Amino acid sequence: MESYYEILGGEEAIQKLVDAFYPRVYADPDLSPLFEGDMNEIKRKQKMFLTQFLGGPDLYTQEFGHPAMRYRHLSFEITPTRAEAWLRCMKEAMDEAELEGEVREYFYEKLTQIAHFFVNKTE
Ligand code: HEM
């Protein structure tokens, strides 16, 4: 059975997605104060993570160990506004990368749940 990763378009699709996503994140007034590191490095990590998240090779775990993503986000103040901004950037990036169909809907739905779960501060 094909994984969601393959159905979405594999490596090329995820690369397009992170390439469309991070310039938006770095330009967003609510998110940009948190993103001070090298954009290429965060793109690289996110690409590995999302590949694995969608059922592709477990690239993130091979390099960094257990994702424990909520834990890795605890050092950042994630407010509901920031979660919404992150999701808005992701939706626009999915449009730009031309991700379509039911798998896109499923993927976005999952990311919405996770983004809300990462909220660790009220406004
Ligand atoms: C809810 C809003 C979110 C905010 C404000 C946020 C913010 C951040 C920040 C500031 C970093 C560190 C960037 C750096 O190292 O330069 C980061 C890393 C990361 N985020 Fe998020 N994030 C959010 C949601 C998510 C979601 C929903 C996912 C995926 C399900 C995700 C996946 C990642 C990954 C894979 C990394 C790299 C972790 C590492 O350093 O190994 N983030 N995020």
Side-chain angles (χ1 to χ4, degrees), residues 22 26 31 34-38 42 45-46 49-50 53 60 64 69 72-73 76-78 82-83 86 111 114-116 118-119:
Y22 280 104
Y26 276 65
L31 297 175
L34 301 180
F35 286 84
E36 295 178 322
D38 175 11
I42 184 72
K45 286 179 169 174
Q46 187 65 274
F49 177 76
L50 293 178
F53 181 73
Y60 186 89
F64 300 107
M69 270 304 146
R72 289 185 201 261
H73 283 76
F76 308 111
E77 290 188 349
I78 303 189
R82 283 181 166 152
W86 193 100
L111 292 176
I114 297 169
H116 290 140
F118 286 0
V119 171

